[in-house]
Amino acid sequence: MGNFFVDVWSWALWTRRPAACTFCKLQDKFDIDPPSVSWAAKVCAFILNTAVDMLMSSLVALILVDLILFHPNSVHPRVDDAAITTFELKNDTTGGGGSSLRYDLSMAVTFFNDHRIYAIRFDHLTAGLYFDGAKLGPSDTLPSFKLHTRRHRKLRPVFHGRESNISAAVAEEFARERAAGTGRSITVDVRLRTTLRYLSWPFKATYYRVYHCSIQFPPPTNNIAVPSPSINYHCAR
């Protein structure tokens, strides 16, 4: 039985000479004749080679499926609405000098899974508020969730607080935007950070993504909530 398996392996290697380059060179160098094996060994060698070819083709197909389907390029959260109640710059009188920026902003953002095959899990999801590249306060930690096929989930990040020691560059940009008029004169950037996990047996893929949601507001007055006209659009990556 042991010799039979050796014959099968020898004939399988011989018939795959173009793929086995090293073995092919040895055959040419030492003028090795084809192995003398039985017809049963040749049949088994043919089946072995066919199985190897099918396995390699299936592996290539699975890699292509993974590259095409399991990629988060189509995942972009959408800003449904946003409102700002307070966004004002004042001199900091609590000590240390400088300026402080008070802010109060809320928004609604929707995550989609439009695919019909795989589910997507959103983990480590946070939302941070930025103005002129400067982060304002701590990030809002949002709950993790799983989106099955053809489903969506709406979340409502809230940002409220005061950021002290505002830099001169940020204060200058704030003054410039407030002086631009009563139109869309304040632009903030909400950055959504999350880990995407694609789940569809036997595949599992993980990606880290940061989405930038640029939102514009008219300057709020008298602590009255002002809605943003820049809604119903998808955040950029």
Side-chain angles (χ1 to χ4, degrees):
M1 181 63 69
N3 291 334
F4 177 77
F5 286 117
V6 171
D7 290 344
V8 171
W9 183 251
S10 300
W11 189 257
L13 286 178
W14 181 269
T15 55
R16 298 184 69 88
R17 291 177 72 244
C21 296
T22 302
F23 184 67
C24 179
K25 292 178 180 179
L26 290 175
Q27 290 175 330
D28 295 338
K29 181 177 181 180
F30 296 103
D31 194 21
I32 301 176
D33 295 327
S36 178
V37 298
S38 64
W39 66 269
K42 293 181 179 180
V43 171
C44 292
F46 172 78
I47 295 175
L48 176 62
N49 283 333
T50 303
V52 170
D53 292 338
M54 293 180 62
L55 179 62
M56 295 301 296
S57 299
S58 300
L59 181 61
V60 172
L62 289 176
I63 293 175
L64 291 176
V65 168
D66 179 71
L67 292 176
I68 295 173
L69 296 182
F70 295 86
H71 205 277
N73 287 339
S74 61
V75 178
H76 291 277
R78 186 188 69 194
V79 176
D80 295 320
D81 60 70
I84 190 168
T85 303
T86 303
F87 202 79
E88 57 183 359
L89 187 69
K90 290 188 174 182
N91 292 329
D92 195 347
T93 59
T94 60
S99 301
S100 62
L101 181 60
R102 293 180 61 243
Y103 56 91
D104 189 352
L105 183 148
S106 61
M107 62 182 297
V109 59
T110 301
F111 292 82
F112 296 90
N113 180 13
D114 293 330
H115 209 276
R116 299 179 181 272
I117 297 178
Y118 53 78
I120 304 176
R121 181 169 180 82
F122 295 80
D123 289 321
H124 311 105
L125 182 58
T126 62
L129 179 63
Y130 291 78
F131 177 73
D132 194 35
K135 191 172 188 299
L136 305 180
S139 298
D140 188 6
T141 301
L142 303 173
S144 300
F145 59 93
K146 179 180 179 180
L147 281 182
H148 293 279
T149 57
R150 310 293 292 179
R151 294 292 187 271
H152 66 275
R153 175 77 177 269
K154 180 176 290 189
L155 301 177
R156 296 185 178 275
V158 176
F159 309 97
H160 175 78
R162 184 185 67 180
E163 183 67 21
S164 302
N165 298 322
I166 294 297
S167 67
V170 173
E172 181 180 352
E173 177 63 20
F174 177 87
R176 187 191 68 80
E177 293 195 11
R178 288 299 296 260
T182 59
R184 301 180 181 181
S185 54
I186 293 179
T187 302
V188 297
D189 179 26
V190 176
R191 300 180 188 178
L192 303 171
R193 290 178 166 85
T194 185
T195 301
L196 303 180
R197 294 176 57 201
Y198 284 59
L199 308 173
S200 179
W201 190 91
F203 295 105
K204 181 184 293 186
T206 302
Y207 299 90
Y208 177 74
R209 285 292 180 264
V210 179
Y211 299 99
H212 296 262
C213 308
S214 181
I215 309 175
Q216 295 176 318
F217 295 95
T221 57
N222 301 324
N223 291 327
I224 299 176
V226 178
S228 170
S230 56
I231 59 174
N232 292 326
Y233 77 97
H234 290 85
C235 302
R237 183 171 63 84

